[in-house]
């Protein structure tokens, strides 16, 4: 298994847990790019892995396995792409897993031809096939999203988790906590994100006098945009929160010890830009607003995505704010009990459980068909 971004690490970790007791030999590798934060995921889980580039050492590892399973990283993708290419050259089974509904549209993934590209759902499967007209559905099995599997068990303990995390963060129950999941790269979108949250929190506090803003910084932000940029945004948000009597909790993603799902449950409202954290919050029934200003919309349009840009919005499990002016009303609307109930009902039917097991079983079938037993 070769990983790059955090989301790829989560994908592989979930499937690794299902495969670890099977009759297979597993090895983990992480792209040696400094933006490859899958290492944080494997490290926290206590798993051994290699940091590796896209050259000779990677080819040696691929040559020594029977099946190559990679994520579909947005930024730290070079080792993943190279592993698929080497695997194809060496006659291995090559599989790309999907950690989002969009990544298959990135050029690096359009340019490679794996044995299989795993889809999250039927909508995703059809979108993948639109770009790969020569493929049949058998090469794009819709098996679900492993990152969401744990949510079904977590949802059974929502109240206890919420109380525990809020106590740890010293958030009183009568306080409205707003959680923001930041972008990790592309400075224009990051700037627009921080500015939109600053604008929204000003209006939100006019109706909610006792408020806390939790800003969860993407693990890649400092490494991609630099510590100076990170510190600048911290000072900006600190000043705004101070001026509006809002408590600020700044969570550095690379150092965060609280799981994203647990952090979501501590919040009364979640703001994001179609991030995995924002999808998790919607599935868990936490009111969620996706802020998609023109700069964000342009990003998704370039990837061929149409309004409203992702299934979570089409499904009605989250609200979308598509202009600066819409942000305050969508934030206040999301915490309205009537709208909140509608969002929660839609969130319950958005994801399916058991994706990790289905993917593990799929990989095992491919190995058994070939009479092989080693997964990288």
């Amino acid at each position: 298994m070769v990983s790059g971004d955090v989301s790829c690490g989560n994908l592989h970790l979930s499937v690794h847990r299902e495969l670890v007791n099977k009759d297979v030999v597993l090895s983990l590798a992480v792209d040696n790019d400094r933006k490859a934060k899958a290492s944080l995921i494997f490290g926290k889980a206590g798993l051994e892995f290699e940091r590796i580039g896209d050259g000779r050492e990677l080819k040696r590892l691929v040559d020594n396995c029977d099946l190559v399973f990679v994520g579909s990283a947005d930024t730290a993708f070079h080792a993943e792409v190279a592993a698929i290419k080497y695997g194809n050259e060496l006659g291995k089974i090559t599989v790309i897993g999907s950690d989002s509904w969009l990544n298959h549209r990135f050029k690096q993934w359009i340019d490679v031809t794996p044995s299989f590209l795993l889809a999250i759902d039927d909508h995703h499967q059809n979108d993948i096939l639109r770009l790969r007209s020569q493929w049949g559905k058998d090469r794009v099995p819709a098996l679900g999203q492993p990152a969401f599997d744990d949510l079904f068990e977590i949802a059974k303990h929502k109240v206890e988790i919420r109380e525990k995390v809020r106590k740890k963060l010293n958030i009183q129950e009568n306080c409205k906590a707003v959680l923001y999941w930041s972008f990790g790269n592309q400075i224009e979108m990051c700037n627009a994100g921080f500015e939109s949250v600053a604008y929204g929190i000003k209006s939100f506090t006019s109706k909610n006098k006792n408020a806390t803003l939790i800003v969860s910084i993407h693990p890649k932000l400092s490494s991609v945009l630099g510590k100076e940029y990170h510190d600048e945004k911290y000072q900006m948000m600190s000043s705004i929160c101070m001026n509006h009597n809002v408590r600020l909790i700044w969570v550095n993603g690379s150092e965060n010890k609280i799981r994203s799902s647990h952090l979501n449950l501590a919040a009364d409202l979640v703001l994001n830009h179609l991030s995995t954290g924002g999808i998790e919050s919607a599935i868990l029934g936490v009111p969620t607003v996706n802020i998609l200003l023109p700069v964000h919309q342009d990003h998704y349009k370039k990837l061929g995505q149409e309004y409203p840009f992702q299934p979570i919005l089409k499904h009605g499990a989250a609200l979308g704010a598509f202009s600066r002016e819409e942000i305050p009303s969508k934030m206040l609307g999301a915490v309205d009990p009537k709208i909140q109930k509608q969002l929660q009902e839609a969130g319950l039917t958005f994801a399916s459980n058991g994706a990790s097991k289905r993917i593990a079983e799929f990989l095992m079938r491919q190995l058994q068909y070939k009479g092989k037993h080693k997964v990288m």
Side-chain angles (χ1 to χ4, degrees):
M1 299 181 180
V2 184
S3 283
D5 297 344
V6 166
S7 51
C8 300
N10 284 323
L11 166 71
H12 282 138
L13 178 61
S14 299
V15 177
H16 186 279
R17 288 170 177 161
E18 294 291 334
L19 287 172
V20 73
N21 293 319
K22 306 288 186 184
D23 186 25
V24 291
V25 178
L26 299 167
S27 60
L28 292 170
V30 176
D31 194 308
N32 64 8
D33 189 313
R34 64 191 177 92
K35 299 188 289 293
K37 300 301 183 180
S39 56
L40 299 173
I41 303 301
F42 298 149
K44 285 180 182 178
L47 295 177
E48 293 184 6
F49 61 92
E50 293 188 54
R51 295 300 299 248
I52 199 160
D54 56 5
R56 186 180 302 171
E57 184 62 18
L58 176 61
K59 191 169 185 177
R60 180 191 63 78
L61 288 174
V62 171
D63 192 26
N64 195 38
C65 76
D66 302 304
L67 185 149
V68 178
F69 181 37
V70 309
S72 49
D74 176 3
T75 51
F77 57 80
H78 298 288
E80 290 182 327
V81 169
I84 293 293
K85 291 179 177 178
Y86 290 146
N88 290 341
E89 290 174 11
L90 296 167
K92 311 296 182 179
I93 305 164
T94 54
V95 183
I96 297 176
S98 295
D99 51 284
S100 88
W101 280 266
L102 296 174
N103 290 17
H104 69 279
R105 287 182 167 272
F106 294 142
K107 185 178 185 301
Q108 65 263 27
W109 300 117
I110 292 175
D111 289 346
V112 293
T113 307
S115 308
F116 302 96
L117 201 169
L118 308 184
I120 297 172
D121 52 28
D122 292 343
H123 170 89
H124 189 218
Q125 181 187 61
N126 292 332
D127 195 40
I128 291 170
L129 290 170
R130 272 194 288 271
L131 297 179
R132 297 159 179 85
S133 58
Q134 305 302 313
W135 291 21
K137 283 191 174 183
D138 58 323
R139 289 185 66 179
V140 191
L143 301 177
Q145 169 55 286
F148 303 147
D149 283 355
D150 288 349
L151 300 182
F152 294 88
E153 183 62 30
I154 288 169
K156 298 175 185 178
H157 308 282
K158 290 199 296 187
V159 174
E160 306 97 282
I161 293 170
R162 174 183 169 86
E163 290 177 353
K164 183 178 179 180
V165 177
R166 287 176 75 100
K167 183 177 180 180
K168 182 175 183 177
L169 297 175
N170 195 27
I171 301 172
Q172 301 301 314
E173 193 51 42
N174 64 348
C175 174
K176 288 291 185 183
V178 179
L179 169 62
Y180 171 54
W181 294 101
S182 85
F183 264 113
N185 56 3
Q186 303 190 39
I187 192 165
E188 295 84 2
M189 291 199 292
C190 284
N191 286 340
F194 283 111
E195 288 164 8
S196 61
V197 172
Y199 178 72
I201 203 70
K202 293 175 186 177
S203 298
F204 188 78
T205 54
S206 68
K207 301 288 185 180
N208 299 277
K209 299 300 182 183
N210 186 8
T212 291
L213 175 63
I214 308 168
V215 176
S216 181
I217 296 299
H218 196 287
K220 288 188 295 189
L221 188 140
S222 291
S223 60
V224 174
L225 300 179
K227 185 179 183 300
E228 185 176 339
Y229 180 86
H230 169 275
D231 294 347
E232 175 191 320
K233 294 308 171 189
Y234 172 74
Q235 292 300 328
M236 166 190 160
M237 298 306 294
S238 294
S239 176
I240 289 166
C241 286
M242 187 178 296
N243 291 340
H244 291 83
N245 199 29
V246 175
R247 180 180 171 222
L248 175 65
I249 299 176
W250 195 263
V251 181
N252 191 325
S254 61
E255 300 170 0
N256 182 26
K257 305 299 183 185
I258 303 173
R259 292 178 62 174
S260 59
S261 54
H262 290 196
L263 199 56
N264 276 321
L265 288 173
D268 300 288
L269 173 65
V270 172
L271 307 177
N272 77 115
H273 312 280
L274 298 180
S275 67
T276 301
I279 296 172
E280 282 185 358
S281 63
I283 294 171
L284 287 168
V286 183
T288 302
V289 176
N290 291 279
I291 299 174
L292 296 168
L293 303 184
V295 66
H296 306 126
Q297 295 175 40
D298 289 344
H299 170 72
Y300 293 115
K301 286 175 183 176
K302 287 175 183 175
L303 294 173
Q305 293 296 105
E306 300 175 350
Y307 175 92
F309 308 110
Q310 208 169 73
I312 195 76
L313 292 173
K314 292 180 180 179
H315 196 76
L319 298 181
F322 297 96
S323 69
R324 187 173 185 265
E325 291 70 30
E326 285 186 351
I327 295 171
S329 62
K330 292 300 174 73
M331 288 177 65
L332 293 170
V335 295
D336 176 88
K338 185 177 179 180
I339 296 176
Q340 187 173 341
K341 184 180 179 182
Q342 295 171 352
L343 295 174
Q344 288 172 340
E345 289 174 351
L348 287 172
T349 61
F350 180 71
S352 60
N353 197 3
S356 303
K357 185 176 181 179
R358 287 192 294 273
I359 291 175
E361 290 174 346
F362 173 82
L363 297 178
M364 288 298 295
R365 286 197 299 273
Q366 304 315 309
L367 288 168
Q368 289 162 1
Y369 177 73
K370 294 286 188 179
K372 307 295 185 179
H373 69 282
K374 188 164 185 179
V375 178
M376 179 189 176

